[in-house]
DNA sequence: CATGAAACTGGCGTGAT
DNA sequence: ATCACGCCAGTTTCATG
């Protein structure tokens, strides 16, 4: 329970880089197949399975790996229409938007952003007209600007630097 | 929940709903822990492991489960700054934007949307000034409007209907 | 249901500090 | 001497036919 060195609480220690060559390779392999077994990963990088498990555990504990996500097709669960909604809160309503977004099940993500519109929110509905009641809720606290998702040329992926 | 009649070429068969009560429960459990073993899921819903595996296989083959994703903290791999960039292509440049987005490694997703801005793109960089070269590339083909991500009150999650 | 594979655990060796 | 890291071999659990 004791705090270790002064790592800023994020586990980033200078000198011993958490992301050495091996861990980068591990992340690449896991990114390509998040369900790959530790034994499989171990084979591909020429290490023992326990060693790989140990590294994965550390990557998870330190927050490099935030988690694993299930990618469900929204259309398959009855929500074929997606829209991005920008919300500009009225005076004093800023705090309500995020709370509201979190409570609406059709919202799949919500970002606080810089600029005139303070929030960027992704909404999934069964049909276009079903967006109305969702927008109405946000309109209690501000103005909205909606754009339907027509296609997704680049589906969510892990970014790479450089 | 409700199953549509025509499958739109996606393999959804009428008559036997693919998403019965059990599959919905399975998806919920798997969504909460995408690495859960079939045996573990079987225990929680009171079924045999092979039965659960069979259901998962069908959910994957039919595209209800699109896949599994690794959630890596961008900050941990040296990209702590995120921004949403809207791109409005110039005349005749529409096709170039998506291709460009796909080729830029700092882009984690790109959506074609309705409205005056045709594309919504998420970009990750090491520092604010590193956004410049990325924007410059898009500015070859149109206008951009950028918003930095200051917080993410609702991190990407599986939406739910109703 | 049986067999092979994978996950966990504890213990040991090595190399750097 | 300590610590970090990886390997090995034990057992239990899981996957697949």
């Amino acid at each position: 329970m004791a705090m270790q060195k002064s790592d800023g609480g994020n586990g980033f220690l200078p000198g011993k880089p958490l992301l050495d060559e091996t861990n980068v390779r591990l992340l690449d392999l896991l990114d390509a197949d998040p369900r790959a077994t530790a034994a499989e990963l171990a084979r591909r990088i020429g290490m023992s399975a326990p060693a790989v498990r140990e590294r994965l555990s550390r990557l998870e504990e330190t927050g490099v790996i935030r988690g694993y996500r299930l990618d469900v097709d929204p259309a398959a669960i009855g929500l074929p229409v997606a829209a991005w909604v920008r919300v500009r809160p009225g005076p004093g309503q800023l705090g309500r938007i995020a709370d509201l977004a979190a409570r609406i099940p059709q919202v799949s993500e919500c970002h606080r952003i810089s600029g005139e519109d303070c929030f960027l929110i992704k909404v999934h509905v069964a049909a276009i007209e079903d967006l109305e009641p969702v927008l109405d809720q946000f309109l209690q606290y501000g103005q909205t600007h909606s754009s339907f998702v027509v296609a997704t040329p680049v589906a969510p992926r892990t970014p790479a630097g450089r």
Side-chain angles (χ1 to χ4, degrees), chain A residues 103-119:
Chain A
R103 263 185 272 108
I104 298 178
Q106 291 99 334
V107 168
S108 67
E109 57 188 294
C110 169
H111 304 274
R112 176 79 194 280
I113 59 176
S114 63
E116 297 182 346
D117 300 309
C118 295
F119 292 95

Side-chain angles (χ1 to χ4, degrees), chain A residues 53-72:
Chain A
R53 272 190 275 274
E54 177 61 26
R55 279 174 177 269
L56 289 183
S57 292
R58 285 193 63 78
L59 288 172
E60 290 166 3
E61 285 166 11
T62 55
V64 175
I65 294 178
R66 269 198 297 223
Y68 304 80
R69 300 221 309 117
L70 179 67
D71 185 9
V72 175

